[in-house]
Each structure stands twice: as structure tokens, then as C-alpha cells.
Amino acid sequence: MPVFEAEGRSPALWSTHTVVNQVPEWANDDLWDADVALREAVEQAGAHWAAERLQTYARQVGSPAARADAVAANVHGPQHRPYDARGHRLDAVDFHPAWHHLLGLLRQGGWVTLPWRDDRPGRWTAWAAGFYLHGQIEQGTLCPATMTQAAVPLLRREPALWAQVGDPLLSDAYDPRDIPLQAKASIWVGMGMTEKQGGSDVRANTTTAWPLDGGGRGGVYRVRGHKWFYSAPSSDAHLVSARIGPDGPMGCFWVPRWWGAQRNAVRIQRLKDKLGNRSNASGEVEFEDALGILIGEEGRGIATLVEMASYTRINCVLGSAAIVRAALVQALHSARHRQAFGRALAQQPAMRGVLLDLALESEAALQLGLRLAQACEDAAPLDQAWRRIVTPAAKFWVCKRAIAATAEAMEVLGGNGYVEEGTLARLLREAPVNSIWEGSGNVMCLDVLRAVQRQPQAAHALLNDWRQALHGDAAALGALRTLAAAWQTQTDGAALEHQARWIAQTLALLAQAVLLRTRAPAAVADAFIATRLGEAAVGQTLGVIDARSWATDAILARALPEA
């Protein structure tokens, strides 16, 4: 006879222990109410008119249903269906219903093309806030939204094409059907630049385009070649780089999925099996004389696509800031409620330094992303300097810091953070893509150098404005002087490239210092500047700071108010 029966116990009551001191994940529905820094930034940018709309969306995307959809969309990723049951070529990409629900929320909420349809002050900040809220729950759906938004200004300059696609491009309707463009309520636009042999070196592309009926801007071409990474291949159209003729100039082409009532000859070879961003599809494709329309002038293809990238890179910064925020709240919530060595983990001295550093990193990333978005609203020279010079530095720095910050937040939860049932594993797998997409780290740093060399007056005006904003901040001003000296004394471009990463990092940190000094409480700015640019700066490892030196309780309460 089993022991439990002999002792008069039921098998159903058998237990070796009681589960205690385990902290559920932070899953507050209201991401807006929990984010003091975001609410203040939206108000400061004159986007108060969007506050109620943002709170409504925060509750939608932060709901248990949306969080469950984020899990499902990543567990059940897209599937390539090349043929139908009778052998007809489809090149279809099938998504889990959770993907459609989340992408539909984003589109219907207006967070794809809002700044192109609204002329109110603060529209870019309002959009960026909605994008940032969505990114805290699910990142893969941000990819098609990013490219679609960035395509708008390019396509607006093509009157004949815009007359056909403008309305569905700007629409907030969600229409996932794979049907001809003219029948759709809304459309998505992707990008196709990367080839096997070139990677970031788009000038090495071998895909060719041959004109029909004379060609030229707005003309029809036959496109032949391949793309190694074709972002969101199920999109209704892509902007594709191709060389005009075998040795001709580079052009940018509108290559739709359907040409009239027929499928265009864009053949999906396979979908990428990626580390993260698993809810979203990335493909390898071949163009078998696909039809496309030249956007812009011949020979301006790279310049046209770089203009598009000036927007998509801002989205990379915002997406990374969202990842840091999502990781921070999980770490802070867990540390406040888990006991270790006789008291709450958040009260342990070493842990307080980690949490403080994560909170500073999060608000600095948010402020930088919002400022870059705000710069899209104004053509003033200073705003354009932020866009052209600071954006690549921000993408380099914030996207890399997101990886480190997410890993550090995972350590706060220990093994509970490492398992797939939790949010942090997905966040950590997601984080590296923003560093790679739209130009990896070295590409961004070299872009910073090119921007400074091509626009020295804008760079000087930017640093002069920062010098005034940082008046009295000795540590930040010292870093600013060192940066300015490097720009002015290094006339040899090759020599300057050896310092490219240091220049981009310092530029991004100074930008964050300026924003925190002018837009955040003094306690936040003081701690950030001292630990990033001053004598207290301790290098790359997060958490190597003495929390006793700063207003840690106030900063953590601001990062995530306790219920």
C-alpha cells in the first residue's frame, strides 16, 4: 500500500512545498499612466491634444489580450506558402491571427501615418509616443509600420503614382488581404536593398532594371536580380534599389506585389529564420523581370533610399527605447516585491545601483527618440542638424545600449528572466535587430562623420546650442570641448574614422545630457551626466555606480510609480 494511503492522505493533497516569494510579471494595463516621463514629454512638445488618445491606446495594447497576442505571434511565426493546391504560384506569407490583431491595432490607432495627415503642433511627438507604447508589447509589427510611414514623403513627390496609392497609404483601416492594390482599403510598403554580395554597401548591388517605352522618372522598368533581406515580403509594394542597365546609375523603384490584376514576378525563395523579430517576416526574393516604376531621378536611387532611412532610423531608436522601458519595469517590479537576504531586493545596495542605472538609461533613450521625432516637424536649421547629425549617433548608441540594458534587467529576475515563459527572453532576442537594420554600428558612426564634414556649420550651431543648455555642467562641457576639438583638429578623414565610434557615442551622450537637463527633473539629469560624462563615469557595465550619491528613491519612483 502506498505511504500516502497508509497515512490517510489523498494523492491530490500531496505537496512538498508552498510557493512563496515568486513575483508575477508586471502587466499593468495602463502603460501611459505608469510612465511619468512620457506624459511630461508629450505635454512639453505641445501634443497635449493627443493625451487621451494615447491613454486609450496604452490600455488597448497593454491589455491581457494584447500581451497574449504578442506571445502567440512570436511563437507561431509567419509561414511561406509558395503555391496553392493546384500548383499556381502564390508566394503567400501566412500569419497567425495574433499578428493581424496587433498590426490592426497599430494601424487603426493611427500610429502609422498620423504625422503625414495632421498639421497640429506636436504631431510627431504624439505619433512617436504611440509607436513607443506599442513597442513595449510587441516589436515585430513595428517593422511594416516603419517602412510604410517612411515611404510617404518619397511617394508624395510622384504625382501619378500618388494619385493611385495616396489614399490607401494614409488610411487607418486595416486590410490584410493579398489582392490587387486598387481594391485595397489600406496598403503596406516594404524595402528591398540588401544583396548577398554587398550587405550595407548598396553601391555593390547587381540587380538591374531595363526601361520599357523610354523609361525615365515615372517610367516602367523590368527588374531582374535578387534581394538577400526583403523586409516584410507580404507588403503590397516595396521600394527597391536596382542599377539601370548593367553598368548604369542606381535607381529606386516602386515594385508592387500585384501589377494590375496579375501577380508581379517577385518570387519569395524562403523566409529568414531569425534570432528575434520572429513575429515579422523577412524574406529572400528574386525578381524574374518584375515590373517596377522609377521613383525620383536616375542616379538618385541611393539618395532616395537614404532619405527614407532618415525616418526609419528614428524608429529604430524609439523601438529600442521601448525595449529598455519594457525591461526596466519588469526588473523594478520584481526587485520591489522579491525578498532576498532578509529584505526586498530593491533595497539591497548593489541592486539599487543597477535599478538606478536602468532608470537613467530608459529615460535618456526615450527623450532622445522623442526629440528626433520632433525634429521631423520643423525645417529650422537646428532641427535639421538633430535629424542629420544626431540620428545616426542615436541609432548607434541607443540600439546597442538596449541589448546591454535588457540583459541586465534579465539578471535582476535571475533564472525567472531567462525562461521563455517570461517577457525578457523575447525582449533580449528582439534587441539586436535595431542595431543591424538600416545600417549597423560602424555604418552609423561613419554616417555621423560624413554629416559633420558635409555640414560643418550645422555641427557648430548644434554644439553651440548644447553649450548654452549645459551652462554650469562642468562634466558635460568638458566632453563637449573634447568632441569639438576632435572635429576641428582631425582634418584627415581616414584618421578620424579611427575615432568614429567614440565620436558617435559622445555625441549621443551629450544629446541625452542636454535633453535631460532641459526636460527632466534635476535629479535625473545630475545622475545621468555625472555617471556618463563626469568623474563618476565607470565605463560600459551598467550598475557600477553608488546609489547613495543620487536621489535614487525619487528617480525610481518616477520610473515606475508604486501602486
Side-chain angles (χ1 to χ4, degrees):
M1 178 181 294
V3 173
F4 57 79
E5 291 186 13
E7 295 180 355
R9 287 181 288 160
S10 166
L13 298 178
W14 183 265
S15 176
T16 62
H17 66 287
T18 301
V19 177
V20 296
N21 199 28
Q22 284 282 6
V23 184
E25 284 206 335
W26 188 87
N28 192 322
D29 287 6
D30 199 336
L31 304 178
W32 172 259
D33 189 58
D35 199 333
V36 177
L38 179 63
R39 298 201 313 270
E40 289 180 357
V42 167
E43 183 73 22
Q44 290 166 352
H48 52 276
W49 50 268
E52 184 176 348
R53 179 176 179 176
L54 285 164
Q55 182 170 44
T56 298
Y57 191 71
R59 290 171 176 170
Q60 283 182 306
V61 78
S63 68
R67 292 178 186 274
D69 280 338
V71 174
N74 281 272
V75 171
H76 308 287
Q79 300 295 315
H80 178 208
R81 186 158 49 92
Y83 300 98
D84 70 8
R86 295 295 180 266
H88 301 106
R89 190 83 193 213
L90 290 179
D91 289 296
V93 180
D94 297 329
F95 291 87
H96 189 273
W99 163 272
H100 290 296
H101 180 228
L102 290 167
L103 193 59
L105 278 181
L106 190 62
R107 185 108 199 199
Q108 292 158 0
W111 311 118
V112 178
T113 58
L114 179 147
W116 301 121
R117 294 181 286 106
D118 201 312
D119 59 1
R120 283 176 287 186
R123 60 190 177 276
W124 276 95
T125 300
W127 158 77
F131 188 92
Y132 172 78
L133 289 167
H134 188 98
Q136 293 174 47
I137 303 303
E138 210 287 309
Q139 288 269 322
T141 40
L142 297 181
C143 177
T146 289
M147 295 181 294
T148 300
Q149 179 215 57
V152 171
L154 277 62
L155 296 173
R156 271 182 166 167
R157 297 200 291 267
E158 310 298 325
L161 184 57
W162 183 255
Q164 301 175 43
V165 303
D167 287 343
L169 194 58
L170 296 178
S171 173
D172 285 342
Y174 180 60
D175 187 347
R177 296 175 297 169
D178 182 12
I179 58 175
L181 287 176
Q182 60 268 26
K184 296 204 65 175
S186 66
I187 60 174
W188 299 96
V189 179
M191 296 173 69
M193 293 185 286
T194 307
E195 296 185 6
K196 299 181 180 75
Q197 72 286 348
S200 296
D201 185 4
V202 180
R203 288 177 174 81
N205 283 5
T206 60
T207 295
T208 54
W210 303 86
L212 302 177
D213 300 326
R217 185 170 188 168
V220 179
Y221 289 69
R222 290 193 180 276
V223 181
R224 176 173 291 183
H226 81 283
K227 295 298 170 185
W228 185 230
F229 277 89
Y230 203 60
S231 297
S234 59
S235 297
D236 298 286
H238 284 73
L239 293 177
V240 173
S241 59
R243 196 171 296 284
I244 299 172
D247 301 308
M250 197 70 70
C252 174
F253 295 86
W254 167 268
V255 180
R257 189 162 166 77
W258 291 76
W259 190 271
Q262 302 296 319
R263 290 186 181 276
N264 207 356
V266 181
R267 307 305 186 202
I268 300 175
Q269 303 305 303
R270 63 172 177 170
L271 300 184
K272 296 290 191 182
D273 186 6
K274 299 171 292 185
L275 168 69
N277 203 245
R278 299 187 70 86
S279 67
N280 178 45
S282 302
E284 300 169 23
V285 303
E286 289 186 335
F287 308 111
E288 298 177 357
D289 287 341
L291 295 173
I293 297 172
L294 180 64
I295 302 297
E297 302 295 339
E298 292 187 5
R300 296 285 297 168
I302 294 176
T304 300
L305 290 163
V306 166
E307 179 185 346
M308 188 175 179
S310 72
Y311 292 101
T312 57
R313 289 172 178 176
I314 294 172
N315 292 36
C316 289
V317 175
L318 287 165
S320 291
I323 288 174
V324 176
R325 172 66 186 174
L328 164 67
V329 296
Q330 295 299 341
L332 188 49
H333 170 76
S334 178
R336 282 172 174 170
H337 293 87
R338 186 170 176 84
Q339 297 290 311
F341 309 108
R343 54 180 164 171
L345 190 56
Q347 295 304 315
Q348 299 289 353
M351 181 57 71
R352 284 171 63 78
V354 172
L355 296 173
L356 171 62
D357 230 354
L358 289 173
L360 295 174
E361 201 68 35
S362 178
E363 182 157 356
L366 167 64
Q367 293 288 3
L368 186 49
L370 293 181
R371 179 63 182 91
L372 295 174
Q374 182 185 349
C376 296
E377 197 165 312
D378 199 330
L382 196 60
D383 284 288
Q384 293 312 299
W386 274 90
R387 279 191 62 192
R388 183 66 189 93
I389 298 171
V390 182
T391 294
K395 182 186 178 301
F396 165 73
W397 183 245
V398 173
C399 296
K400 286 195 178 302
R401 293 293 276 180
I403 302 169
T406 306
E408 199 67 58
M410 178 180 282
E411 282 195 45
V412 175
L413 276 71
N416 287 342
Y418 194 69
V419 296
E420 287 290 348
E421 289 92 339
T423 298
L424 282 163
R426 187 173 78 247
L427 291 177
L428 186 57
R429 283 188 281 102
E430 197 74 44
V433 71
N434 287 326
S435 278
I436 296 170
W437 190 43
E438 297 297 10
S440 55
N442 286 346
V443 173
M444 292 300 96
C445 296
L446 294 174
D447 200 15
V448 171
L449 297 186
R450 280 192 292 271
V452 172
Q453 290 164 347
R454 291 173 181 173
Q455 303 176 39
Q457 291 182 333
H460 177 76
L462 189 69
L463 292 192
N464 188 54
D465 182 70
W466 290 2
R467 189 175 293 110
Q468 296 177 46
L470 294 168
H471 177 71
D473 280 306
L477 289 173
L480 192 150
R481 284 192 296 270
T482 304
L483 179 64
W487 286 354
Q488 293 166 5
T489 59
Q490 291 282 5
T491 56
D492 181 351
L496 201 57
E497 286 187 18
H498 289 285
Q499 295 181 287
R501 284 194 166 219
W502 172 81
I503 288 171
Q505 172 183 313
T506 305
L507 185 66
L509 287 171
L510 282 168
Q512 290 177 320
V514 168
L515 294 170
L516 292 177
R517 179 57 73 204
T518 56
R519 300 183 177 199
V524 176
D526 290 344
F528 182 88
I529 291 171
T531 57
R532 270 63 174 175
L533 297 168
E535 292 182 0
V538 291
Q540 303 303 311
T541 303
L542 287 160
V544 189
I545 57 176
D546 189 339
R548 296 174 299 179
S549 302
W550 317 107
T552 299
D553 287 337
I555 293 171
L556 295 183
R558 173 180 173 81
L560 184 63
E562 295 194 64

